[in-house]
């Protein structure tokens, strides 16, 4: 494949992924099922997996998980400006600002600090 064809292929892939992101965000998320510690939702062509917020978690951890879930399900984090993209493999990638309390690393650290066993699958 020559350089021009490679650039055209990358541009077409970026366009496809941007269109997928628009379709995901324009659809209303619908909960499909709960699998243990996770809930599975569908939003347009995407399947989204978010952690269940347990009622026995400390209030601080519950609040952060609600923000994290909102970001995954709606594309909007109440605490920061997130970056979203669809990867070449078709996965939705959501990144919070590093200092955001809803960042996955921040959530895991908070759970550990509070002594809560937490699935780091997020």
């Amino acid at each position: 494949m020559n350089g021009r064809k490679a650039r055209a292929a990358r541009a077409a892939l970026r366009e496809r992924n941007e269109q997928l992101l628009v379709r995901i965000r324009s659809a209303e998320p619908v909960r499909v099922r709960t699998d243990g510690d996770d809930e599975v939702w569908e939003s347009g062509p995407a399947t989204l997996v978010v952690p269940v917020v347990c009622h026995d978690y400390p209030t601080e951890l519950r609040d952060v998980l609600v923000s994290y879930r909102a970001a995954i399900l709606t594309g909007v984090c109440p605490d920061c400006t997130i970056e979203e993209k669809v990867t070449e493999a078709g996965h939705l990638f959501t990144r919070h600002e590093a200092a955001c309390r809803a960042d996955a690393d921040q959530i895991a650290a908070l759970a550990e600090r509070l002594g809560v066993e937490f699935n780091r699958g997020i």
Side-chain angles (χ1 to χ4, degrees):
M1 182 182 300
N2 67 28
R4 191 175 337 166
K5 286 183 181 178
R7 282 190 298 279
R10 285 193 305 271
L13 183 60
R14 273 194 308 275
E15 178 65 26
R16 178 202 73 139
N17 291 346
E18 289 172 12
Q19 289 174 359
L20 276 174
L21 186 57
V22 168
R23 289 177 52 208
I24 292 166
R25 290 303 168 213
S26 64
E28 183 72 28
V30 176
R31 189 170 67 84
V32 177
R33 67 182 177 278
T34 301
D35 286 336
D37 293 335
D38 296 318
E39 286 181 354
V40 178
W41 294 68
E42 289 183 358
S43 185
T47 299
L48 310 172
V49 179
V50 294
V52 171
V53 179
C54 295
H55 296 290
D56 59 345
Y57 283 166
T59 302
E60 185 179 6
L61 183 57
R62 282 195 323 258
D63 291 346
V64 169
L65 286 173
V66 167
S67 294
Y68 178 82
R69 288 168 52 95
I72 297 297
L73 295 174
T74 67
V76 177
C77 176
D79 300 318
C80 75
T81 302
I82 61 172
E83 172 192 345
E84 282 192 310
K85 67 178 183 177
V86 176
T87 67
E88 289 184 15
H91 298 138
L92 177 63
F93 176 78
T94 303
R95 180 189 319 216
H96 293 262
E97 295 173 359
C100 178
R101 67 188 190 125
D103 175 69
D105 293 333
Q106 299 283 350
I107 294 171
L110 175 63
E112 184 177 332
R113 193 169 60 248
L114 295 172
V116 175
E117 186 175 324
F118 188 72
N119 177 7
R120 179 59 173 90
I122 64 171

